[in-house]
Amino acid sequence: MDTRTIHQSICLTVGHSIKEIALYINADLKQRAAVRFNASDWVASPMPGVERRMLDRVGEEVARATSIVRFAPGSAFSAHAHDGGEEYIVLDGTFQDEDGDFPTGCYVRNPPTTSHTPAATDGATILVKLHQFDPEDRTSVRLDTNQATWDQPAIGVERLLLHEDPREQVVMESWAPGTRRHLDATGGLEVFLLSGELSDGTDSIEAWDWLRLPPGSVFEAEAGPDGARLWFKSGHLSHVADGPA
């Protein structure tokens, strides 16, 4: 299932110095890409106690990127601005910044021009997407999905709309065991499985696995015997220029 393509390492040691160079992971948006959590590795970030598993990436340390990021208890990132925006969902623990505490299940969008100093006093793991917003987007979202009201669009399905604009839609869904569902992938689709298991006929996707389908794809999947809870984003890949293949 792991179809990652890494074209270059993120750092190049020259003598006693470290020079950043571009890193391309799943950079060809015309290709299906998948990363199995249990088959990937944690990579150290520039900040002590902060590690990440890179799902896709185009650029150097400041890059268009999708990652799972793990903060050890007491770790923090230095203050920084989000020129290209940031969205994340807290997978485990409690994430913090100047706007407050965000426990497991919180979804946050920090649009371009915003800044913060993220930390995790007791530790946290997040799924985060960086530098992928419309430059004119100024919509902030702070949503605790555990406290929100979900709707039921179909038998065996609960659904929570996290964000929607003309470019994209971001949603969480919970599927009962054995539920089959079709998701719109015409404008591209990213699926991150929060818990459970599902299969789309090509891959069996388990907790914290990530799948990306290019524009023009079809996605039909069935939940496993314990059901499935997933985060997905659709439509957005039609608006993104391809990185190096």
Side-chain angles (χ1 to χ4, degrees):
M1 176 180 175
D2 190 344
T3 59
R4 290 185 302 170
T5 300
I6 300 180
H7 293 268
Q8 295 177 306
S9 298
I10 195 167
C11 292
L12 176 67
T13 302
V14 181
H16 296 290
S17 64
I18 295 178
K19 178 183 178 181
E20 285 188 0
I21 60 176
L23 182 70
Y24 303 114
I25 301 174
N26 289 322
D28 185 353
L29 301 182
K30 297 185 294 293
Q31 300 297 318
R32 178 187 178 103
V35 179
R36 188 180 291 278
F37 179 78
N38 289 330
S40 57
D41 298 317
W42 292 110
V43 177
S45 81
M47 303 305 294
V50 181
E51 301 173 298
R52 51 204 172 184
R53 297 192 184 205
M54 301 179 185
L55 307 179
D56 69 15
R57 192 177 188 91
V58 179
E60 299 179 357
E61 182 54 40
V62 177
R64 175 183 169 271
T66 304
S67 307
I68 303 171
V69 182
R70 181 172 67 181
F71 288 73
S75 62
F77 240 91
S78 54
H80 56 273
H82 292 293
D83 295 335
E86 170 195 63
E87 69 176 320
Y88 64 85
I89 185 164
V90 182
L91 305 177
D92 182 60
T94 299
F95 194 61
Q96 297 144 338
D97 64 16
E98 295 88 339
D99 291 320
D101 292 350
F102 302 99
T104 301
C106 284
Y107 173 73
V108 175
R109 289 177 68 91
N110 294 318
T113 74
T114 59
S115 62
H116 69 159
T117 307
T121 300
D122 298 319
T125 306
I126 64 174
L127 171 71
V128 60
K129 296 180 69 65
L130 300 171
H131 290 270
Q132 298 178 44
F133 280 42
D134 181 333
E136 303 305 315
D137 190 342
R138 296 295 182 269
T139 302
S140 295
V141 176
R142 307 281 187 272
L143 179 62
D144 185 345
T145 65
N146 300 303
Q147 303 298 322
T149 300
W150 296 53
D151 60 23
Q152 294 182 307
I155 296 174
V157 177
E158 293 186 333
R159 181 178 185 270
L160 178 63
L161 179 64
L162 303 177
H163 173 76
E164 187 171 33
D165 62 35
R167 292 165 55 97
E168 65 185 37
Q169 184 183 75
V170 189
V171 175
M172 281 179 62
E173 289 192 355
S174 288
W175 300 359
T179 298
R180 290 193 59 85
R181 187 142 170 87
H182 173 90
L183 299 180
D184 181 9
T186 56
L189 177 73
E190 285 184 64
V191 176
F192 185 84
L193 198 65
L194 299 166
S195 62
E197 182 179 359
L198 61 81
S199 173
D200 71 344
T202 299
D203 288 311
S204 178
I205 304 169
E206 300 178 347
W208 293 16
D209 289 351
W210 171 84
L211 173 67
R212 189 189 68 210
L213 301 180
S217 298
V218 174
F219 184 79
E220 292 185 355
E222 181 176 355
D226 295 323
R229 175 167 285 205
L230 57 150
W231 171 100
F232 65 89
K233 177 193 284 279
S234 60
H236 60 305
L237 297 179
S238 296
H239 306 280
V240 182
D242 285 338

